[in-house]
Amino acid sequence: MDYSCKTGPAERVKTACLVVGVFQKNRLPALSKQLDDAIGGQVKRVLQRRDFSADSGQSLLLYEPNDCAATRILLVGLGDEKAFRPRVLRNALEPAIQQLNGMNAGECTILVPFAAGKDDVYRFIREAVDAVEAAVYRFDQCKSESKPPKKPLKHVDFVVSRSQLNAAKHACAHGRAIGTGARLAKDLANLPGNICTPSYLAEQARSLARGRRNLKVSVLDEAQMHKLGMGSLLSVSRGSRQPAKLIVLEYKGGKADAKPVALVGKGLTFDAGGISIKPAANMDEMKYDMCGGASVLGTIAACAELDLPLNLVGVVPSSENLPDGDANKPGDIVTSMSGQTIEILNTDAEGRLILCDALTYTERFDPAAVIDIATLTGACIVALGDQASGLLANDDVLAGQLLESGTACGDRAWQLPLWDEYQQQLDSNFADMANIGGKGAGTITAACFLSRFTKKFKWAHLDIAGTAWLSGAKKGATGRPVPLLTEFLLRRAKAPM
Ligand code: BES
Ligand code: MN
Ligand code: ZN
């Protein structure tokens, strides 16, 4: 999608469609009112017919307005004026843009209904771009016949005032890059496990780096991991015919000596549970167990597109988890790269087994901070549903920055405690630790396990089991937490907003 920002009177914009916000009770936001005054009150007169209540998500299409350069006006309901904020705009715009994408318009110009203040402009346009990206996303790679819209939207313009122009342009650029990253993450997660294997993920990472001077990708194979002593990671892939991969991305946008931020993402391309096999119902969804890894690729793609001035490392341990004669068995004890031994009491708690070795490997980059991202526990879905990702950290400043970034962009996280008292749930009679912590606090004990491999750096863990995927009618990947991570990195790079 192409985005641009314009100033000047909306009635003079030559466009296939002007998108105009309306509040309930026939209230018009300032810019909509200006337009309506310039075109002789046509909008007001239509609203007086009372066919349109302006509830959020409602829309009404007007053709060939008089005294207006646009060929259509799409009125979009924004709900209650008092409750209006950027997120509301996003949710109202998505169905409207979907409608436009299915018509013969090909382009549109959005009159953004700002509340007030300069800060608002940036956030409103970020949310608008987010809505556009979500509305036009399609996944039809696996359909024998794809039926694309006959004239898909290619271009979206925003009309803003002169003083808002810079903030608006930054918002378009950032929103677009996040859209690109989220799309990559969604595509990878929606692909089935027989196509998106560890080798496929590695190939996707390699192709990201192609043509990019400041992005380098290397892929470690099982023999190299064996030499490094990654006994925990390799124990998971032993039950699979697909060889495990450790994908390493290095983005150098900052000063040569600036310590990188490391993103470590769980890349389980299919999780059947192993010998501790999962029930059959909905097991297909376990193809999304690589969403942590996909969000690492997506976030690095977004940062590279924006040329952010910082250094990043991405580490994606990738494997399948299947039952097999050679698979992990309950009671098996493995030795991790750190030297710590692990008793595997449940082979379905495999994410932490591959992440622990990836986290130890990350030490060699001397990172300023490490964030791991993983669809790690069903317990996180029970606790937080699909609204917030679970956040646990050994550093309160880092945790605070991630929470704030998530709140700002609407891709929220919620912190859970990582108190020492929980650690004893991982006690084992036979090894240094068990890989599960018993009944209670499953998301916390999973993070406790990881914390034993992150002592040497500032670290935060995002459990995205609930947020990376939607079940039911809207079944599919969400692209989360690419927005949260990119927002965090934009702030860290002090990108103008
Ligand atoms: N990938 C799953 C977690 C998961 C479950 C993600 C549902 C998304 C939806 C993970 O590998 C797993 O199986 N975790 C177990 C841990 C348990 C055995 C301690 C779980 O949550 O049941
Ligand atoms: Mn599992
Ligand atoms: Zn898993």
Side-chain angles (χ1 to χ4, degrees):
M1 188 66 64
D2 272 342
Y3 298 95
S4 51
C5 305
K6 288 196 173 122
T7 59
E11 67 277 9
R12 303 238 187 94
V13 180
K14 273 214 178 77
T15 173
C17 188
L18 263 184
V19 179
V20 177
V22 180
F23 293 124
Q24 283 166 346
K25 304 200 173 122
N26 294 357
R27 307 266 312 154
L28 292 180
L31 274 179
S32 307
K33 173 92 173 56
Q34 260 175 43
L35 167 75
D36 195 38
D37 289 346
I39 62 172
Q42 295 173 74
V43 172
K44 260 262 136 68
R45 280 201 296 284
V46 168
L47 293 179
Q48 276 158 5
R49 301 272 178 207
R50 298 191 169 278
D51 289 345
F52 182 69
S53 58
D55 295 344
S56 172
Q58 237 201 358
S59 66
L60 187 70
L61 192 59
L62 316 179
Y63 286 96
E64 315 287 345
N66 294 321
D67 306 315
C68 187
T71 47
R72 302 170 184 81
I73 288 180
L74 183 65
L75 300 180
V76 175
L78 301 176
D80 181 1
E81 183 173 7
K82 288 200 199 74
F84 189 60
R85 45 198 168 80
R87 217 11 46 168
V88 176
L89 174 68
R90 189 217 166 280
N91 294 335
L93 274 179
E94 189 179 334
I97 297 294
Q98 242 164 20
Q99 183 186 352
L100 276 172
N101 197 39
M103 297 184 348
N104 206 28
E107 54 158 16
C108 69
T109 298
I110 301 176
L111 267 189
V112 182
F114 301 111
K118 213 167 172 184
D119 191 42
D120 279 332
V121 185
Y122 176 83
R123 281 297 150 197
F124 275 100
I125 294 194
R126 273 280 301 270
E127 294 285 349
V129 172
D130 190 52
V132 172
E133 295 287 325
V136 303
Y137 177 77
R138 304 164 48 83
F139 181 79
D140 49 18
Q141 290 180 51
C142 298
K143 305 259 192 197
S144 61
E145 233 185 307
S146 85
K147 298 187 188 94
K150 57 181 189 302
K151 195 170 177 190
L153 274 187
K154 285 256 160 64
H155 204 106
V156 174
D157 271 347
F158 294 98
V159 178
V160 297
S161 70
R162 199 156 289 282
S163 67
Q164 298 170 330
L165 197 57
N166 274 334
K169 283 182 176 163
H170 294 314
C172 281
H174 298 169
R176 197 180 103 125
I178 290 169
T180 305
R183 190 177 332 118
L184 172 62
K186 283 186 188 180
D187 280 348
L188 291 171
N190 287 333
L191 280 171
N194 62 331
I195 296 176
C196 184
T197 60
S199 305
Y200 182 92
L201 261 192
E203 201 39 57
Q204 293 300 302
R206 282 203 189 93
S207 80
L208 252 192
R210 251 169 241 136
R212 284 204 169 99
R213 192 183 33 77
N214 54 9
L215 181 58
K216 201 184 96 202
V217 169
S218 48
V219 178
L220 275 63
D221 62 20
E222 290 190 342
Q224 288 166 301
M225 289 188 259
H226 185 76
K227 272 199 199 122
L228 287 164
M230 296 185 166
S232 183
L233 193 165
L234 289 171
S235 78
V236 175
S237 70
R238 249 197 1 252
S240 156
R241 310 269 172 101
Q242 295 288 339
K245 303 285 172 187
L246 186 75
I247 307 164
V248 182
L249 305 95
E250 289 171 83
Y251 168 74
K252 294 220 162 77
K255 298 206 176 78
D257 60 346
K259 289 186 179 189
V261 172
L263 304 175
V264 180
K266 174 178 174 183
L268 243 293
T269 58
F270 190 76
D271 178 15
I275 297 299
S276 315
I277 196 164
K278 289 181 182 293
N282 304 323
M283 201 205 268
D284 64 290
E285 297 193 352
M286 277 302 110
K287 66 179 182 179
Y288 89 88
D289 214 13
M290 31 56 68
C291 276
S295 76
V296 171
L297 300 195
T299 301
I300 290 180
C303 293
E305 179 172 321
L306 292 168
D307 253 315
L308 282 195
L310 44 71
N311 296 334
L312 286 175
V313 173
V315 179
V316 180
S318 185
S319 169
E320 295 182 319
N321 185 29
L322 296 174
D324 179 84
D326 204 27
N328 276 329
K329 301 175 292 298
D332 282 2
I333 293 175
V334 298
T335 303
S336 67
M337 182 178 172
S338 71
Q340 299 176 91
T341 59
I342 304 160
E343 185 186 15
I344 301 174
L345 290 177
N346 188 318
T347 67
D348 197 11
E350 84 298 336
R352 59 199 82 180
L353 294 177
I354 67 168
L355 282 168
C356 68
D357 282 343
L359 286 164
T360 302
Y361 181 80
T362 303
E363 285 172 9
R364 68 186 52 208
F365 298 103
D366 190 18
V370 178
I371 304 163
D372 84 74
I373 310 105
T375 46
L376 205 61
T377 63
C380 194
I381 311 179
V382 175
L384 300 172
D386 59 12
Q387 295 299 321
S389 301
L391 170 69
L392 299 103
N394 69 9
D395 184 90
D396 283 337
V397 176
L398 178 60
Q401 289 167 344
L402 285 164
L403 289 171
E404 261 185 49
S405 302
T407 303
C409 70
D411 180 5
R412 288 181 291 188
W414 192 257
Q415 193 171 7
L416 299 172
L418 195 62
W419 296 322
D420 274 345
E421 285 78 356
Y422 287 108
Q423 292 283 352
Q424 65 187 16
Q425 286 184 240
L426 295 172
D427 286 351
S428 159
N429 282 358
F430 305 106
D432 295 345
M433 70 193 87
N435 79 327
I436 55 171
K439 255 208 197 120
T443 302
I444 296 174
T445 53
C448 283
F449 181 95
L450 297 178
S451 76
R452 298 174 180 215
F453 302 84
T454 61
K455 296 236 159 73
K456 296 197 176 140
F457 39 67
K458 292 177 183 166
W459 160 75
H461 161 66
L462 285 168
D463 193 327
I464 59 166
T467 53
W469 183 264
L470 295 176
S471 302
K474 287 191 169 171
K475 182 161 159 174
T478 62
R480 292 177 71 180
V482 171
L484 185 165
L485 293 169
T486 311
E487 178 80 32
F488 168 79
L489 293 167
L490 281 166
R491 288 165 177 234
R492 207 169 166 103
K494 301 200 163 54
M497 290 187 174

